[in-house]
Structures are given as C-alpha cells and as structure tokens.
Amino acid sequence: MNDVTGESDSPERRRRKVRRRLSDEEIAAQRTKRRRVQIGCGVGALVVVGFIGWLGYEGLQAKSNLEKARNFATQAKDALLAGDTDQARIAASDADRYAQDAQSSVDSVPWRIAGAVPLLGSPFDSTRQMTTIVSGLTEQVLLPAVDAGSAVSPDQLILDGARINLAALRDAAPVLETTSAAISDLDEQAQNVDSTWLGLIDDARVDLQEQVSELSGLLNNTSLAAQIAPAMLGADGPRSYFVGFQTNAEARGTGGLLGGFTVIRANDGAVSVDDVTSNREFRFDYDPIDLGPDFQRAYGHSRPTQDFRNSNVSPHFPYAGQIWQSMWQQETGQRVDGAIATDPVALSYVLDVVGDVTLPGGEKITAENVVELTESTAYDRFGDDQRARKAYLETVAQTVVKKLTGSISRPQALLEALGRAAGEGRLAVWSSVPEEQDVLATTPLGHVVPDDSAPYAHVVINNLGGNKLDYYLEREIEYTAGSCDGDTRESKVTVRLTNSLPPGDYTDYVAGILGNSQGEATGTNLTDVGLLATHGAKLTKATVNGKSTFAYTNAERGHPLFNVQAPIPPGETIEVVFQFDEPVVQGPPTVPIQPLLDEARVVSSAPECT
C-alpha cells in the first residue's frame, strides 16, 4: 500500500514509474539523436545537391567541349579536302584539345556513377561512348591524317590539273593504312553506341555515326588508292587499260551492251586516251577463253568469250574484263593490263563537274542531255543508219574524253562524281595483276559477285530481244525471308518489271525482237530475269504473273543462279517471283542493284541472323 495515496503498489504500477523515470532521462538523448539525424539529412542533402551540381557542371563542360571538338574535326576534314594542310593542322589540334577535355569530364566519378543508374543513366553512358570515339578520332585519325594531307587532298593529289601525284600517294601509304584501320574500328564503335531516351543526345549519336562513316569511307578509299594507284597509273612502267562504254538501253549483266571503247595509257601519273571507236570494230568469232565450268554452263550458250555482244552477260565484272582483254589482244596483238567500264549516266556526273562540251557541228552535250541523247535521241535521229549513229556517238565520247584529259579545275568535285558512279556500279575496274585485283575486289570499283555465304539476292536483267527497250524499263525488287530459327528459312524475291515505252512509231532496231519466233508485238521487251541467291539456296517455285514457270538453274561463284525468261508488252508490268529455301547464315542481307537507267525501287525485309 502507498503511504501517501493509499493505492496498492502493484508490479504494473512500479513498471509505469520506471518508464516515466527512463523517459525523462532519455529526452536529452532522443533530442540529440534527432539533431544528429537532421544534421545527417542536411549533410546528405548537401552531398546530393553537390553531386548534382558537380554532375551538371561536368555535363555542361562535356557537352560544350564535345561540340567544339566535333566542329573543329569537321573543319579539319574540310580543310584537308580543300588542300589547306596548315588550316587542317590547326583545326585538328583544336579538335584534339577539346576532345581530351571532354574525355576528362565523362571519366569523372559523378559521370560514371550517373551512367550506372539503370535506364536514367543511358544518356550519360551514351555521351561517354561518343566522347571516347571523338577523342580517338582526333588523336588516332585526324592528327596523323594531316601529316598525309597531300595524299588525301584532291587539290594536291592532281598536279598541274592533269597528272596524279603518285609520289605523295606512296609516301603517305603507311600513315594512311594506320589511320584507315583506326577509323574502321572507330566507325564500328560509333555504329554500336547505345540509343537513349533523351532526344538531344540521340540526335548527336546519329550525327556522329554519319560523320564517322563518311570519314571512314574517305580514308579507306584513299588508303586503298595509295596501295595500288601508283603502280596502276604507271609509277613502275607504262600501263594500258581497255575502256568499254556500256549502253544501258540494252541490258547486260554489268550494265549494258558494249557500245564503244577506247584504250587509256598511263605513265608516271600522266594519262592519255586513244580515239574512241564504236563496237563495229569487233567481231563475233574470237577464240574462246576458259573461265571455268560454272561460267560455261551458265552462259556458254550465248558465246560470251567469242561474241562481244554478250561479253558482259555475267554481273561479275572481272569476267568481262578478261574477255575484253582477250578480244583486244586477238584484234590488235596488244595486251592491256586491265579493263574499265562506264556508261552515259556516269558521264553525266562528270559533265556536271567539268562543264558542257560542244560537238564540231555546234551541238552542246550537257549533264542534263547526255543520257537521253546517247540512249534514245540518237536512235530516232539516225533511224536504221547504224553507221551514222555510231559515228555520232563516237564523236560525243571523244569530245567528252578530250575534255576530261585537259586541265581539271575542280578535282575534289570530280573525285566525288567518280565515287558516286562507282557506288552505283557505273564505274568498274579490273586489273590483270592479282595483288591489285585483290584490293579492287574489296571496293565498289571491283563490281564483283562476292564468294561469301551471307544472305544475297542479286537480280540481273539481260536483254534477249536485241533492241533498246531497256531505256524504258522500270524495276521493283523485294527480298523477304523467314526468321533465323532453325537451319533454313523460306525466302522470296519478287521482281516487278514495267515496260514504259510511250505510244509511237519506232524502228525495229529500237523496238523489234531479234528472231521473233513467238510473234510478239513490236515494243515487247523480251527479257531474261536472273537471280543470284544465297549460297546453298534451293529453288522451290518460280512464277510469272502468278503462274508456275520453268527456271534454269546454274551457279556462279558459289551462288545458285535461277533464270526465267518472259516478255513484257509495252505499257504493262510483269511480276516474277522466286521462292526458295536458303540456309540461315550470319551477315547482313545484300541486294545489289544492276546499273541500268532507272532508279530501281528496292525493299529488303530479310532479318539479319547472328
């Protein structure tokens, strides 16, 4: 019993008293603890604010320095192309300085921590990847490339507007090989930079990929040129090359019928050109050459190594080069060192740079009219007078070639025009020297059918009517393939060909059919549609306008070759479909475009298997 209150002093009451006494004693400790938590939170907040501030500062610094580095890198590239190596050196040094500063920012601790945050950190990680690429670009590529500036600069590559600076190319070859390897590696890294949700950063990623890819193409091509151009252009002794002018109005595998030719002679970088001659100088009965059993089975029926008209039915240009070399030697006793092919579309690109030419009679040949004049108007103008028409075309070609062998005032633009023609397959080169040919085969100039096993769908048109109706041919090509699951997949190539010949009166030479045994109407384009498919592909069905049809099956350089022949009446479209099973293999699907006159519409929806 409590003496004061008279209450019973039970165990529960004693526990409450203890708790009251303890709470009084703990008040100060609890207040101290709260103050510590508040101070800790304040310090934490300051750390977070400091971290964000530091990160923001580093981000602004990295962004600013990266943009400056890219701008100076672009200036260095442009200065190199303009031949201003002093300005290129200054710009490259500035680009390197800002790139290294940007690299320091993205290598900081806050940046790496932020980049490790899932999802939210992707812009930081992508920026770090891009900065590393730009830093490598300036240090490993631009600065060394400046030292080889005379080789990569078109204005210094061509001496006195006419002769190639072979010594500069050879001297620069080791540096160019090193920078070429470096830019190829950086290009691969750039294409693999992770995309991000932040639009500003993602736009910068795309821009960087395009810029690095462009520079990679420039340096790789220049490096390859430094390897083989000096010898090919006569640095070690005179060289000669057969040049074939192809007429796309009558389709052949490499582009068009061999319509005219000349011989180019090179000696120590100086180039001269013989008179252009029409194909009337060639015969149909040369001694054949052996290009292997597959070539013979696929094309032997058209006698390509004996009849110049079919000398380039295969899309593999080295075959045409060897055939032209053989025919020229049998015709003249002279053995050329290689062969070149071009067409009127490529000439239009060149005329756009060097300017118009005027024929002896006063007619102007321009970039805008050279294709129509040589592939259409000439046939209307001269009718069945083939001798007069060929003489006219010889004059056109000779006049253009004469312009080209004169002084070149815009070498950079000319090289760009030739590069465009090569990229479209309108400029092809073959060398009889194996080491040079091995290099050419890796470039668009080689115009080769590759012998690798990557997915491949190459549609090749050959004119069977002996007319000029392919001037009016329009093409649509679609390549589809199944998934990458399993060992094989069902694939399909759909080819739509339209004969857009306008109504009118045409000579048999333009619109007739040679040996028209089927009685087809004038203006009908009788065509052979070939498909070079993926190694190991097996044809399951071929159709023309939905109806099953017979397809010839052969092979070329390891690729199965399927051929269907069909007429295309004027104003109509036919649809040829190849269905096949192809192996599931690694590599990006390739759909090469035969260089005819139209801009073929191509759709490829075959997935890339890895």
Side-chain angles (χ1 to χ4, degrees), residues 74-130:
T74 300
Q75 291 178 29
K77 182 200 71 173
D78 292 342
L80 276 177
L81 291 176
D84 191 344
T85 52
D86 290 337
Q87 180 58 38
R89 185 172 289 104
I90 294 172
S93 297
D94 288 337
D96 184 57
R97 174 164 54 88
Y98 284 111
Q100 301 312 317
D101 289 343
Q103 188 72 54
S104 298
S105 295
V106 299
D107 282 341
S108 64
V109 173
W111 200 283
R112 289 187 175 275
I113 293 175
V117 177
L119 185 62
L120 294 177
S122 68
F124 298 97
D125 192 49
S126 295
T127 302
R128 186 178 60 79
Q129 293 178 61
M130 289 189 287

Short mmCIF file of all heavy atoms in Angstrom, two decimals, residues 74-130:
data_model
loop_
_atom_site.label_atom_id
_atom_site.label_comp_id
_atom_site.label_asym_id
_atom_site.label_seq_id
_atom_site.Cartn_x
_atom_site.Cartn_y
_atom_site.Cartn_z
N THR A 74 35.34 18.59 -88.06
CA THR A 74 34.74 18.82 -89.38
C THR A 74 35.55 19.84 -90.16
O THR A 74 35.78 19.68 -91.36
CB THR A 74 33.29 19.30 -89.22
OG1 THR A 74 32.54 18.31 -88.52
CG2 THR A 74 32.65 19.55 -90.58
N GLN A 75 36.00 20.90 -89.48
CA GLN A 75 36.83 21.91 -90.15
C GLN A 75 38.13 21.29 -90.65
O GLN A 75 38.60 21.62 -91.75
CB GLN A 75 37.12 23.06 -89.19
CG GLN A 75 35.91 23.91 -88.84
CD GLN A 75 36.26 25.02 -87.85
OE1 GLN A 75 37.40 25.50 -87.82
NE2 GLN A 75 35.30 25.40 -87.03
N ALA A 76 38.72 20.41 -89.85
CA ALA A 76 39.97 19.76 -90.27
C ALA A 76 39.75 18.91 -91.51
O ALA A 76 40.56 18.93 -92.45
CB ALA A 76 40.51 18.90 -89.12
N LYS A 77 38.65 18.15 -91.53
CA LYS A 77 38.36 17.31 -92.70
C LYS A 77 38.15 18.18 -93.94
O LYS A 77 38.70 17.90 -95.01
CB LYS A 77 37.10 16.48 -92.45
CG LYS A 77 36.74 15.55 -93.59
CD LYS A 77 35.28 15.13 -93.53
CE LYS A 77 34.38 16.31 -93.89
NZ LYS A 77 32.95 15.92 -94.00
N ASP A 78 37.36 19.25 -93.80
CA ASP A 78 37.09 20.13 -94.94
C ASP A 78 38.36 20.80 -95.43
O ASP A 78 38.58 20.96 -96.65
CB ASP A 78 36.04 21.19 -94.56
CG ASP A 78 34.67 20.59 -94.31
OD1 ASP A 78 34.44 19.44 -94.76
OD2 ASP A 78 33.84 21.26 -93.66
N ALA A 79 39.22 21.19 -94.50
CA ALA A 79 40.48 21.82 -94.90
C ALA A 79 41.37 20.84 -95.64
O ALA A 79 42.05 21.20 -96.61
CB ALA A 79 41.20 22.38 -93.67
N LEU A 80 41.38 19.58 -95.20
CA LEU A 80 42.16 18.56 -95.90
C LEU A 80 41.68 18.41 -97.33
O LEU A 80 42.47 18.34 -98.28
CB LEU A 80 42.06 17.23 -95.17
CG LEU A 80 43.01 16.99 -93.99
CD1 LEU A 80 42.71 15.64 -93.36
CD2 LEU A 80 44.45 17.04 -94.44
N LEU A 81 40.36 18.32 -97.49
CA LEU A 81 39.81 18.14 -98.83
C LEU A 81 40.07 19.36 -99.71
O LEU A 81 40.17 19.23 -100.93
CB LEU A 81 38.30 17.87 -98.74
CG LEU A 81 37.92 16.53 -98.13
CD1 LEU A 81 36.40 16.42 -98.00
CD2 LEU A 81 38.45 15.38 -98.96
N ALA A 82 40.17 20.53 -99.09
CA ALA A 82 40.44 21.75 -99.85
C ALA A 82 41.92 21.96 -100.11
O ALA A 82 42.31 22.91 -100.79
CB ALA A 82 39.87 22.96 -99.12
N GLY A 83 42.77 21.07 -99.56
CA GLY A 83 44.20 21.19 -99.79
C GLY A 83 44.90 22.14 -98.85
O GLY A 83 46.10 22.41 -99.02
N ASP A 84 44.20 22.68 -97.84
CA ASP A 84 44.80 23.62 -96.90
C ASP A 84 45.30 22.84 -95.69
O ASP A 84 44.65 22.77 -94.65
CB ASP A 84 43.76 24.66 -96.49
CG ASP A 84 44.38 25.83 -95.72
OD1 ASP A 84 45.53 25.69 -95.26
OD2 ASP A 84 43.70 26.86 -95.57
N THR A 85 46.48 22.26 -95.80
CA THR A 85 47.00 21.42 -94.73
C THR A 85 47.36 22.22 -93.48
O THR A 85 47.28 21.70 -92.37
CB THR A 85 48.24 20.64 -95.22
OG1 THR A 85 49.18 21.55 -95.79
CG2 THR A 85 47.86 19.60 -96.25
N ASP A 86 47.76 23.49 -93.64
CA ASP A 86 48.07 24.32 -92.47
C ASP A 86 46.83 24.53 -91.62
O ASP A 86 46.86 24.37 -90.39
CB ASP A 86 48.65 25.66 -92.90
CG ASP A 86 50.05 25.52 -93.49
OD1 ASP A 86 50.72 24.51 -93.17
OD2 ASP A 86 50.46 26.41 -94.27
N GLN A 87 45.72 24.89 -92.27
CA GLN A 87 44.48 25.09 -91.54
C GLN A 87 43.97 23.75 -90.96
O GLN A 87 43.44 23.71 -89.86
CB GLN A 87 43.41 25.69 -92.46
CG GLN A 87 42.06 25.95 -91.78
CD GLN A 87 42.18 26.88 -90.59
OE1 GLN A 87 42.95 27.84 -90.61
NE2 GLN A 87 41.44 26.58 -89.52
N ALA A 88 44.17 22.68 -91.71
CA ALA A 88 43.76 21.37 -91.23
C ALA A 88 44.51 21.00 -89.97
O ALA A 88 43.94 20.44 -89.02
CB ALA A 88 43.99 20.32 -92.31
N ARG A 89 45.81 21.34 -89.92
CA ARG A 89 46.62 21.02 -88.75
C ARG A 89 46.15 21.80 -87.53
O ARG A 89 46.05 21.25 -86.42
CB ARG A 89 48.09 21.30 -89.04
CG ARG A 89 49.04 20.90 -87.93
CD ARG A 89 50.50 21.02 -88.36
NE ARG A 89 50.85 19.99 -89.33
CZ ARG A 89 51.00 20.20 -90.63
NH1 ARG A 89 50.81 21.41 -91.14
NH2 ARG A 89 51.32 19.21 -91.44
N ILE A 90 45.83 23.07 -87.73
CA ILE A 90 45.35 23.91 -86.61
C ILE A 90 44.01 23.38 -86.10
O ILE A 90 43.80 23.22 -84.88
CB ILE A 90 45.21 25.38 -87.07
CG1 ILE A 90 46.60 25.97 -87.39
CG2 ILE A 90 44.52 26.21 -85.99
CD1 ILE A 90 46.54 27.34 -88.03
N ALA A 91 43.10 23.11 -87.02
CA ALA A 91 41.77 22.64 -86.62
C ALA A 91 41.85 21.27 -85.95
O ALA A 91 41.15 21.01 -84.96
CB ALA A 91 40.85 22.57 -87.84
N ALA A 92 42.72 20.40 -86.44
CA ALA A 92 42.85 19.07 -85.84
C ALA A 92 43.41 19.17 -84.42
O ALA A 92 42.98 18.43 -83.52
CB ALA A 92 43.75 18.19 -86.70
N SER A 93 44.36 20.08 -84.20
CA SER A 93 44.92 20.27 -82.86
C SER A 93 43.85 20.79 -81.90
O SER A 93 43.76 20.35 -80.74
CB SER A 93 46.10 21.25 -82.91
OG SER A 93 47.15 20.72 -83.70
N ASP A 94 43.05 21.77 -82.37
CA ASP A 94 41.96 22.28 -81.53
C ASP A 94 40.94 21.18 -81.22
O ASP A 94 40.45 21.06 -80.09
CB ASP A 94 41.26 23.45 -82.22
CG ASP A 94 42.12 24.71 -82.24
OD1 ASP A 94 43.01 24.82 -81.37
OD2 ASP A 94 41.90 25.56 -83.12
N ALA A 95 40.62 20.38 -82.22
CA ALA A 95 39.67 19.28 -82.02
C ALA A 95 40.21 18.31 -80.97
O ALA A 95 39.47 17.85 -80.09
CB ALA A 95 39.42 18.55 -83.33
N ASP A 96 41.49 18.02 -81.03
CA ASP A 96 42.09 17.08 -80.08
C ASP A 96 42.07 17.66 -78.67
O ASP A 96 41.77 16.95 -77.70
CB ASP A 96 43.52 16.76 -80.51
CG ASP A 96 44.16 15.72 -79.62
OD1 ASP A 96 43.60 14.61 -79.51
OD2 ASP A 96 45.22 16.00 -79.03
N ARG A 97 42.36 18.94 -78.54
CA ARG A 97 42.37 19.57 -77.20
C ARG A 97 41.00 19.51 -76.55
O ARG A 97 40.86 19.12 -75.39
CB ARG A 97 42.85 21.03 -77.35
CG ARG A 97 42.78 21.84 -76.06
CD ARG A 97 43.62 23.09 -76.19
NE ARG A 97 43.26 23.86 -77.37
CZ ARG A 97 42.31 24.79 -77.39
NH1 ARG A 97 41.62 25.05 -76.29
NH2 ARG A 97 42.05 25.49 -78.49
N TYR A 98 39.97 19.89 -77.29
CA TYR A 98 38.62 19.88 -76.72
C TYR A 98 38.12 18.45 -76.50
O TYR A 98 37.38 18.18 -75.55
CB TYR A 98 37.66 20.63 -77.62
CG TYR A 98 37.80 22.13 -77.52
CD1 TYR A 98 38.30 22.88 -78.58
CD2 TYR A 98 37.45 22.80 -76.36
CE1 TYR A 98 38.44 24.27 -78.49
CE2 TYR A 98 37.59 24.18 -76.25
CZ TYR A 98 38.09 24.91 -77.32
OH TYR A 98 38.22 26.26 -77.20
N ALA A 99 38.53 17.53 -77.34
CA ALA A 99 38.12 16.13 -77.16
C ALA A 99 38.71 15.56 -75.87
O ALA A 99 38.03 14.83 -75.13
CB ALA A 99 38.55 15.30 -78.36
N GLN A 100 39.98 15.89 -75.58
CA GLN A 100 40.60 15.40 -74.36
C GLN A 100 39.94 16.02 -73.13
O GLN A 100 39.78 15.34 -72.10
CB GLN A 100 42.10 15.69 -74.38
CG GLN A 100 42.86 15.08 -75.55
CD GLN A 100 42.55 13.62 -75.79
OE1 GLN A 100 42.45 12.83 -74.85
NE2 GLN A 100 42.37 13.25 -77.05
N ASP A 101 39.55 17.30 -73.22
CA ASP A 101 38.85 17.95 -72.11
C ASP A 101 37.50 17.28 -71.87
O ASP A 101 37.10 17.05 -70.72
CB ASP A 101 38.66 19.44 -72.38
CG ASP A 101 39.96 20.22 -72.32
OD1 ASP A 101 40.95 19.67 -71.76
OD2 ASP A 101 40.01 21.35 -72.83
N ALA A 102 36.80 16.98 -72.96
CA ALA A 102 35.51 16.30 -72.83
C ALA A 102 35.70 14.91 -72.22
O ALA A 102 34.90 14.46 -71.39
CB ALA A 102 34.83 16.20 -74.19
N GLN A 103 36.77 14.25 -72.62
CA GLN A 103 37.05 12.92 -72.08
C GLN A 103 37.27 12.98 -70.57
O GLN A 103 36.82 12.10 -69.82
CB GLN A 103 38.28 12.33 -72.77
CG GLN A 103 38.55 10.88 -72.43
CD GLN A 103 37.55 9.94 -73.06
OE1 GLN A 103 37.35 9.97 -74.26
NE2 GLN A 103 36.91 9.12 -72.25
N SER A 104 37.95 14.01 -70.11
CA SER A 104 38.19 14.16 -68.66
C SER A 104 36.87 14.31 -67.91
O SER A 104 36.71 13.76 -66.81
CB SER A 104 39.07 15.38 -68.40
OG SER A 104 40.34 15.22 -69.00
N SER A 105 35.93 15.03 -68.49
CA SER A 105 34.63 15.22 -67.84
C SER A 105 33.87 13.91 -67.71
O SER A 105 33.34 13.59 -66.64
CB SER A 105 33.79 16.24 -68.62
OG SER A 105 34.38 17.52 -68.60
N VAL A 106 33.80 13.15 -68.78
CA VAL A 106 32.99 11.93 -68.75
C VAL A 106 33.70 10.80 -68.01
O VAL A 106 33.06 9.78 -67.69
CB VAL A 106 32.60 11.46 -70.17
CG1 VAL A 106 31.79 12.52 -70.87
CG2 VAL A 106 33.83 11.09 -70.99
N ASP A 107 34.99 10.96 -67.72
CA ASP A 107 35.70 9.96 -66.93
C ASP A 107 35.62 10.27 -65.43
O ASP A 107 36.17 9.53 -64.61
CB ASP A 107 37.17 9.90 -67.35
CG ASP A 107 37.35 9.12 -68.65
OD1 ASP A 107 36.44 8.35 -69.01
OD2 ASP A 107 38.39 9.29 -69.31
N SER A 108 34.94 11.37 -65.06
CA SER A 108 34.84 11.74 -63.66
C SER A 108 33.96 10.76 -62.88
O SER A 108 33.13 10.05 -63.46
CB SER A 108 34.27 13.16 -63.53
OG SER A 108 32.94 13.20 -64.03
N VAL A 109 34.13 10.76 -61.55
CA VAL A 109 33.36 9.84 -60.70
C VAL A 109 31.85 10.08 -60.80
O VAL A 109 31.08 9.12 -60.96
CB VAL A 109 33.83 9.95 -59.23
CG1 VAL A 109 32.93 9.13 -58.31
CG2 VAL A 109 35.28 9.49 -59.11
N PRO A 110 31.37 11.34 -60.70
CA PRO A 110 29.91 11.55 -60.80
C PRO A 110 29.35 11.02 -62.12
O PRO A 110 28.25 10.45 -62.14
CB PRO A 110 29.77 13.07 -60.72
CG PRO A 110 31.00 13.55 -60.06
CD PRO A 110 32.08 12.61 -60.47
N TRP A 111 30.09 11.22 -63.20
CA TRP A 111 29.58 10.78 -64.50
C TRP A 111 29.45 9.26 -64.57
O TRP A 111 28.46 8.73 -65.05
CB TRP A 111 30.50 11.28 -65.62
CG TRP A 111 29.81 11.29 -66.96
CD1 TRP A 111 29.55 10.24 -67.76
CD2 TRP A 111 29.28 12.43 -67.62
NE1 TRP A 111 28.88 10.63 -68.89
CE2 TRP A 111 28.70 11.99 -68.83
CE3 TRP A 111 29.24 13.79 -67.32
CZ2 TRP A 111 28.10 12.85 -69.73
CZ3 TRP A 111 28.63 14.65 -68.22
CH2 TRP A 111 28.07 14.18 -69.40
N ARG A 112 30.44 8.59 -64.03
CA ARG A 112 30.40 7.12 -64.06
C ARG A 112 29.30 6.59 -63.15
O ARG A 112 28.64 5.60 -63.47
CB ARG A 112 31.76 6.55 -63.66
CG ARG A 112 32.83 6.77 -64.72
CD ARG A 112 34.13 6.06 -64.37
NE ARG A 112 35.10 6.18 -65.43
CZ ARG A 112 35.16 5.38 -66.50
NH1 ARG A 112 34.29 4.40 -66.62
NH2 ARG A 112 36.07 5.57 -67.43
N ILE A 113 29.09 7.24 -62.03
CA ILE A 113 28.01 6.82 -61.13
C ILE A 113 26.66 7.03 -61.81
O ILE A 113 25.79 6.15 -61.80
CB ILE A 113 28.07 7.61 -59.81
CG1 ILE A 113 29.33 7.21 -59.03
CG2 ILE A 113 26.81 7.35 -58.97
CD1 ILE A 113 29.54 8.02 -57.76
N ALA A 114 26.48 8.21 -62.42
CA ALA A 114 25.21 8.50 -63.09
C ALA A 114 24.98 7.54 -64.25
O ALA A 114 23.85 7.09 -64.48
CB ALA A 114 25.21 9.94 -63.61
N GLY A 115 26.03 7.20 -64.97
CA GLY A 115 25.88 6.30 -66.11
C GLY A 115 25.51 4.89 -65.72
O GLY A 115 24.96 4.13 -66.52
N ALA A 116 25.77 4.53 -64.46
CA ALA A 116 25.46 3.18 -64.00
C ALA A 116 24.01 3.02 -63.54
O ALA A 116 23.56 1.90 -63.29
CB ALA A 116 26.40 2.79 -62.85
N VAL A 117 23.28 4.15 -63.43
CA VAL A 117 21.87 4.07 -63.00
C VAL A 117 21.03 3.46 -64.13
O VAL A 117 21.05 3.97 -65.25
CB VAL A 117 21.33 5.47 -62.65
CG1 VAL A 117 19.85 5.38 -62.26
CG2 VAL A 117 22.14 6.08 -61.52
N PRO A 118 20.32 2.38 -63.85
CA PRO A 118 19.52 1.74 -64.92
C PRO A 118 18.55 2.73 -65.55
O PRO A 118 17.91 3.51 -64.85
CB PRO A 118 18.78 0.61 -64.18
CG PRO A 118 19.63 0.32 -62.99
CD PRO A 118 20.21 1.65 -62.58
N LEU A 119 18.44 2.68 -66.85
CA LEU A 119 17.53 3.49 -67.67
C LEU A 119 17.86 4.98 -67.60
O LEU A 119 18.19 5.59 -68.62
CB LEU A 119 16.08 3.26 -67.26
CG LEU A 119 15.02 3.97 -68.14
CD1 LEU A 119 15.11 3.47 -69.57
CD2 LEU A 119 13.63 3.77 -67.59
N LEU A 120 17.78 5.58 -66.38
CA LEU A 120 18.02 7.02 -66.28
C LEU A 120 19.45 7.39 -66.66
O LEU A 120 19.72 8.51 -67.08
CB LEU A 120 17.72 7.49 -64.85
CG LEU A 120 16.25 7.40 -64.41
CD1 LEU A 120 16.11 7.84 -62.96
CD2 LEU A 120 15.38 8.28 -65.31
N GLY A 121 20.38 6.44 -66.52
CA GLY A 121 21.77 6.74 -66.80
C GLY A 121 22.17 6.59 -68.25
O GLY A 121 23.31 6.89 -68.61
N SER A 122 21.25 6.15 -69.13
CA SER A 122 21.63 5.88 -70.52
C SER A 122 22.18 7.11 -71.26
O SER A 122 23.13 6.98 -72.03
CB SER A 122 20.45 5.27 -71.29
OG SER A 122 19.41 6.19 -71.46
N PRO A 123 21.62 8.33 -71.08
CA PRO A 123 22.22 9.48 -71.78
C PRO A 123 23.67 9.71 -71.39
O PRO A 123 24.50 10.09 -72.22
CB PRO A 123 21.32 10.65 -71.36
CG PRO A 123 20.03 10.02 -70.96
CD PRO A 123 20.41 8.72 -70.34
N PHE A 124 23.98 9.49 -70.07
CA PHE A 124 25.36 9.69 -69.62
C PHE A 124 26.29 8.64 -70.23
O PHE A 124 27.39 8.95 -70.66
CB PHE A 124 25.41 9.63 -68.09
CG PHE A 124 24.61 10.70 -67.41
CD1 PHE A 124 23.32 10.45 -66.96
CD2 PHE A 124 25.12 11.98 -67.25
CE1 PHE A 124 22.57 11.44 -66.35
CE2 PHE A 124 24.38 12.98 -66.64
CZ PHE A 124 23.10 12.72 -66.19
N ASP A 125 25.81 7.40 -70.25
CA ASP A 125 26.65 6.34 -70.80
C ASP A 125 26.86 6.53 -72.30
O ASP A 125 27.96 6.34 -72.81
CB ASP A 125 26.00 4.98 -70.52
CG ASP A 125 26.95 3.83 -70.81
OD1 ASP A 125 28.10 3.87 -70.34
OD2 ASP A 125 26.54 2.89 -71.52
N SER A 126 25.79 6.92 -73.02
CA SER A 126 25.92 7.15 -74.47
C SER A 126 26.87 8.30 -74.75
O SER A 126 27.69 8.24 -75.67
CB SER A 126 24.54 7.43 -75.08
OG SER A 126 23.70 6.31 -74.98
N THR A 127 26.76 9.37 -73.95
CA THR A 127 27.66 10.52 -74.14
C THR A 127 29.10 10.12 -73.88
O THR A 127 30.02 10.55 -74.59
CB THR A 127 27.25 11.66 -73.19
OG1 THR A 127 25.90 12.04 -73.46
CG2 THR A 127 28.16 12.87 -73.40
N ARG A 128 29.32 9.28 -72.86
CA ARG A 128 30.68 8.82 -72.58
C ARG A 128 31.23 8.01 -73.76
O ARG A 128 32.38 8.17 -74.17
CB ARG A 128 30.71 7.98 -71.30
CG ARG A 128 32.11 7.56 -70.87
CD ARG A 128 32.08 6.77 -69.56
NE ARG A 128 31.28 5.57 -69.71
CZ ARG A 128 31.71 4.45 -70.29
NH1 ARG A 128 32.94 4.39 -70.80
NH2 ARG A 128 30.92 3.41 -70.38
N GLN A 129 30.38 7.13 -74.35
CA GLN A 129 30.82 6.35 -75.51
C GLN A 129 31.18 7.27 -76.68
O GLN A 129 32.21 7.08 -77.34
CB GLN A 129 29.70 5.40 -75.95
CG GLN A 129 29.38 4.30 -74.95
CD GLN A 129 28.23 3.44 -75.43
OE1 GLN A 129 28.30 2.79 -76.47
NE2 GLN A 129 27.14 3.43 -74.69
N MET A 130 30.34 8.27 -76.92
CA MET A 130 30.58 9.18 -78.05
C MET A 130 31.84 10.00 -77.83
O MET A 130 32.62 10.24 -78.76
CB MET A 130 29.37 10.10 -78.25
CG MET A 130 28.15 9.40 -78.82
SD MET A 130 26.83 10.53 -79.28
CE MET A 130 26.22 11.02 -77.68
#
